[in-house]
Amino acid sequence: IEIDRDDDPNVVVSTTGGTRFTRQVNLITAISGNTVTVKNPLLADFNAGNAKIKWTFLNTSFSGIENLKLDHSGAGGGTNMSFQYCYACWLKGVESFKPAGYHMVILGTLNLEIRDSFIHDAQTYGPNNAGVAVYGNPLYGSNSSGKIENNIYDRLFPAIEMQNSSSGFYIGYNYGYGSMATATNAPVSWMFTDNHGPHDMMNLWEGN
């Protein structure tokens, strides 16, 4: 499920309009009368703000990809990989090379893990060449409680892009090098972004 609530104006700031950016994806483990039990702790006060269940998802669960190279250098537009509506899925030991867009797009996930991988190079420079786009979308679902750990990112813009109410992530001990802005000889730009669209919350960045 995805839960949302009215924004607290003392906490949430949006320069693009809209509302109800306080969101969290979670898993129902039990229902007893009007009591709903969920797997992960709540990251915000959903007792206030007219909280509602916004979406329910039919998820792929416990599905992983390991020890694989994805070479998109001879292909046209598109991403190398997409995780959509996935519970407790993972990626480990993957090399992702030179797509004509994002390396990975994540949408509507819970308890996802991406680790021990080498994600590098793009066919073009500038925006929309992220290594991992945690691409929460107000129309299709946000992401919560993922782990992105111990990866290497090279020649991307940016390496990790959190957006649109991605919450409760741990982003730790990743190495980013050579973020490309617009061309081969252009100055580097930012490598990690935590709020490319409101309102990411409760994400821990450590040791990157």
Side-chain angles (χ1 to χ4, degrees):
I1 61 171
E2 180 175 314
I3 312 165
D4 72 352
R5 55 153 288 173
D6 293 333
D7 294 331
D8 179 344
N10 295 313
V11 177
V12 178
V13 176
S14 172
T15 60
T16 60
T19 185
R20 297 183 72 87
F21 289 115
T22 303
R23 306 179 187 132
Q24 183 177 351
V25 182
N26 219 318
L27 177 70
I28 294 176
T29 58
I31 300 175
S32 177
N34 292 328
T35 301
V36 176
T37 304
V38 292
K39 184 173 183 66
N40 293 347
L42 295 179
L43 301 171
D45 182 4
F46 287 99
N47 289 317
N50 189 30
K52 296 179 181 179
I53 295 177
K54 181 179 180 181
W55 304 113
T56 61
F57 303 114
L58 296 175
N59 286 357
T60 299
S61 300
F62 307 110
S63 180
I65 299 169
E66 298 187 12
N67 303 324
L68 178 72
K69 180 173 181 178
L70 302 169
D71 185 344
H72 209 137
S73 58
T79 65
N80 269 357
M81 184 172 300
S82 180
F83 287 97
Q84 295 189 17
Y85 310 116
C86 197
Y87 171 73
C89 296
W90 73 91
L91 180 141
K92 179 182 178 183
V94 168
E95 180 181 355
S96 180
F97 178 66
K98 214 166 192 178
Y102 298 119
H103 282 258
M104 300 174 194
V105 172
I106 302 170
L107 179 67
T109 68
L110 175 64
N111 294 351
L112 177 79
E113 184 167 350
I114 297 172
R115 65 175 307 109
D116 305 337
S117 295
F118 182 30
I119 302 164
H120 62 108
D121 290 279
Q123 292 183 23
T124 60
Y125 300 109
N128 301 320
N129 288 304
V132 179
V134 185
Y135 198 72
N137 186 295
L139 297 178
Y140 302 111
S142 301
N143 302 277
S144 293
S145 305
K147 179 190 284 187
I148 303 173
E149 184 176 45
N150 196 41
N151 302 289
I152 297 173
Y153 302 91
D154 188 22
R155 297 168 65 87
L156 305 168
F157 181 58
I160 300 172
E161 181 178 303
M162 309 291 288
Q163 55 177 290
N164 292 317
S165 304
S166 298
S167 60
F169 273 71
Y170 171 77
I171 304 104
Y173 301 93
N174 301 283
Y175 179 72
Y177 180 79
S179 175
M180 301 303 293
T182 57
T184 303
N185 61 349
V188 297
S189 187
W190 37 272
M191 179 63 70
F192 301 118
T193 174
D194 191 56
N195 196 25
H196 189 62
H199 169 72
D200 304 332
M201 64 177 183
M202 302 297 181
N203 296 316
L204 172 61
W205 296 75
E206 178 179 87
N208 300 289

